[in-house]
Amino acid sequence: MDTKLPDSGTTIFAVMSALAIEHKAINLSQGFPSFNPDQALLDLVTHYLNNNGNQYAPMLGVPALRQSIAEKVSMLYGRSVDPDREVTVCDGATEGLFSAIQAIVHPGDEVIVFDPAYDSYEPSVTLAGGKTVHIPLIVTTEKPDFHIDWERLKDSINEKTRLIILNFPHNPTGVILSAADLDVLADIVRDTKVYLLSDEVYEHIVFDGAAHQSFIRHDELWQRSFVISSFGKTYHATGWKVGYCVAPPALSNEFRKIHQWVCYAVVSPIQHALGDYMARTPDHYAALPAFYEEKRDRFCALVSESRFRFRPANGTFFQILDYSNITDEDDVSYAKRLTREIGVASIPISVFCEQTPASRKLRFCFAKDDDMLVEAAGRLCQL
Ligand SMILES: Cc1ncc(COP(=O)(O)O)c(C=O)c1O
């Protein structure tokens, strides 16, 4: 068959999770919590399942949920968004990203992503007929955390550039953007027709007192941005696949033209429950940074006894560990070997990059119960 995605294999998340099951390994590969959502939220889902919450939701999303999202955005990012014209509930962030890309990218357009880049971006761009341009995040002596090479970004923008996809807090490196970074980006795109797609699924998982710099917050960037988030990461419910897109009216309008044909509407009882829960429990996401910061600190303290080297993540629930002190082996085969031999599954970073990075790094998910983290770190320390 004449495939539309010749380079698309099975995602590394499925590969590593299957290997973890086969070898009964501790699965720190795929990014999902080992704990349940709040019981109050589960009770609300049950309530709506039993009380007429089971028919099609409106195409844009359940009104009470869109209202809760708009209130949260206003409280956290200081912008009043119209739930009817600027908020759309989608089938997980994945659908939001896909629909935004299909809405904006025409055949021949260029789309810039930063490597390591989340693996759904490029196939979505390819399906829209676009070309993905990869710019590696860099590490320098002055700035040892991964960051954007702004000069290279500036030089990469041309008349074909249609969209830049950014993802901060960043999966897999755990780095975040500062307010000054957003200003630099605004300077770069000011006189262009480039749109922005900001994947902010880890918006509530930012550490050490830093504030998440949502594109919604920034007056100039907001005008050209689709901002995508996911309830899966925020409410420990990745399997529900419910997310949302916040964008100015003209962009939301185009987004919805695609969204309605991709999924039309998202699972109803869960939308009702989330809307209700957000209105009753706004402090849930306020507590997330401290909750995950403690897990990051625990995991980092445990692996500090090992031969891995690392800089603690600034956000997300992922920690990168550099194994160059241990072996020269490539990261895909080393990740598989660790799964088979010591029973700890991780994600190799090179699969998120167009060009294999020189450094040797694996990504570990610390959204896990403490006993799993202790056991996994103990095994890593024996290497
Ligand atoms: C950066 C990033 N974007 C998007 C997604 C997809 O989110 P969802 O499960 O809501 O589709 C993930 C999930 O791991 C992610 O890490």
Side-chain angles (χ1 to χ4, degrees):
M1 189 186 288
D2 188 12
T3 175
K4 295 187 82 172
L5 291 175
D7 300 325
S8 202
T10 307
T11 145
I12 189 72
F13 303 114
V15 172
M16 292 309 298
S17 281
L19 202 64
I21 292 169
E22 185 188 335
H23 293 279
K24 299 190 173 53
I26 302 171
N27 190 0
L28 305 190
S29 63
Q30 208 173 354
F32 61 85
S34 66
F35 29 85
N36 243 352
D38 186 356
Q39 189 57 45
L41 175 56
L42 298 177
D43 291 344
L44 283 168
V45 176
T46 311
H47 169 80
Y48 284 105
L49 279 170
N50 290 316
N51 289 276
N52 293 330
N54 299 304
Q55 306 313 326
Y56 287 130
M59 189 265 272
L60 311 181
V62 163
L65 177 55
R66 285 185 287 112
Q67 181 63 38
S68 289
I69 295 168
E71 279 164 19
K72 182 188 84 165
V73 160
S74 153
M75 195 167 74
L76 291 181
Y77 307 133
R79 182 172 306 282
S80 160
V81 295
D82 180 346
D84 292 332
R85 298 200 310 151
E86 299 181 299
V87 179
T88 313
V89 179
C90 49
D91 210 358
T94 309
E95 190 256 306
L97 294 162
F98 183 82
S99 293
I101 291 167
Q102 303 312 309
I104 220 72
V105 176
H106 294 258
D109 286 348
E110 291 187 2
V111 177
I112 295 176
V113 303
F114 298 96
D115 283 358
Y118 187 64
D119 62 351
S120 83
Y121 305 153
E122 181 153 16
S124 307
V125 170
T126 306
L127 285 175
K131 176 176 172 239
T132 304
V133 176
H134 295 258
I135 299 182
L137 293 176
I138 53 168
V139 171
T140 54
T141 342
E142 313 80 65
K143 223 179 155 195
D145 280 326
F146 281 97
H147 58 277
I148 294 177
D149 182 344
W150 295 114
E151 282 309 310
R152 181 144 174 205
L153 173 64
K154 211 184 306 176
D155 293 345
S156 304
I157 295 178
N158 60 51
E159 68 286 353
K160 285 191 183 159
T161 311
R162 179 78 169 166
L163 183 69
I164 305 174
I165 307 180
L166 301 102
N167 161 224
F168 296 93
H170 184 249
N171 171 12
T173 65
V175 294
I176 60 175
L177 289 183
S178 67
D181 289 323
L182 267 52
D183 289 339
V184 175
L185 179 62
D187 284 344
I188 293 175
V189 297
R190 186 162 301 130
D191 296 320
T192 71
K193 290 188 180 152
V194 171
Y195 290 92
L196 303 170
L197 175 54
S198 184
D199 177 350
E200 301 184 11
V201 299
Y202 300 101
E203 63 178 322
H204 300 300
I205 312 180
V206 174
F207 308 136
D208 307 316
H212 169 57
Q213 298 300 329
S214 176
F215 283 30
I216 299 174
R217 211 191 263 279
H218 195 280
D219 288 339
E220 254 187 293
L221 296 183
W222 160 249
Q223 303 303 328
R224 51 173 91 219
S225 293
F226 297 85
V227 176
I228 306 289
S229 192
S230 170
F231 293 110
K233 312 294 178 186
T234 305
Y235 294 109
H236 314 319
T238 56
W240 290 358
K241 295 296 286 183
V242 182
Y244 59 89
C245 171
V246 184
L251 278 65
S252 286
N253 203 30
E254 291 306 308
F255 179 90
R256 290 166 178 186
K257 286 182 186 169
I258 306 294
H259 162 76
Q260 69 174 332
W261 303 127
V262 174
C263 76
Y264 178 68
V266 174
V267 57
S268 328
I270 289 177
Q271 286 198 66
H272 288 296
L274 282 167
D276 214 339
Y277 184 79
M278 283 177 85
R280 292 173 199 223
T281 326
D283 46 342
H284 170 86
Y285 51 78
L288 267 197
F291 174 77
Y292 276 121
E293 187 170 321
E294 202 187 317
K295 294 219 171 277
R296 176 205 62 177
D297 290 347
R298 186 178 309 275
F299 186 63
C300 286
L302 290 163
V303 292
S304 65
E305 308 288 314
S306 74
R307 291 164 71 204
F308 289 95
R309 286 177 311 178
F310 60 90
R311 295 178 62 80
N314 305 120
T316 75
F317 44 51
F318 302 113
Q319 179 60 49
I320 293 276
L321 298 182
D322 183 313
Y323 63 87
S324 353
N325 271 349
I326 303 175
T327 171
D328 259 354
E329 194 170 341
D330 76 85
D331 61 354
V332 175
S333 74
Y334 191 51
K336 289 183 175 167
R337 194 155 70 77
L338 288 187
T339 310
R340 284 193 308 269
E341 293 180 6
I342 66 160
V344 179
S346 58
I347 293 287
I349 297 309
S350 64
V351 297
F352 301 118
C353 303
E354 184 181 45
Q355 275 168 3
T356 307
S359 58
R360 304 284 187 219
K361 292 185 168 56
L362 299 175
R363 186 200 81 175
F364 294 81
C365 173
F366 55 79
K368 306 291 172 188
D369 289 312
D370 288 350
D371 52 351
M372 278 175 79
L373 296 179
V374 169
E375 180 59 35
R379 295 181 194 186
L380 294 172
C381 286
Q382 283 167 19
L383 290 165

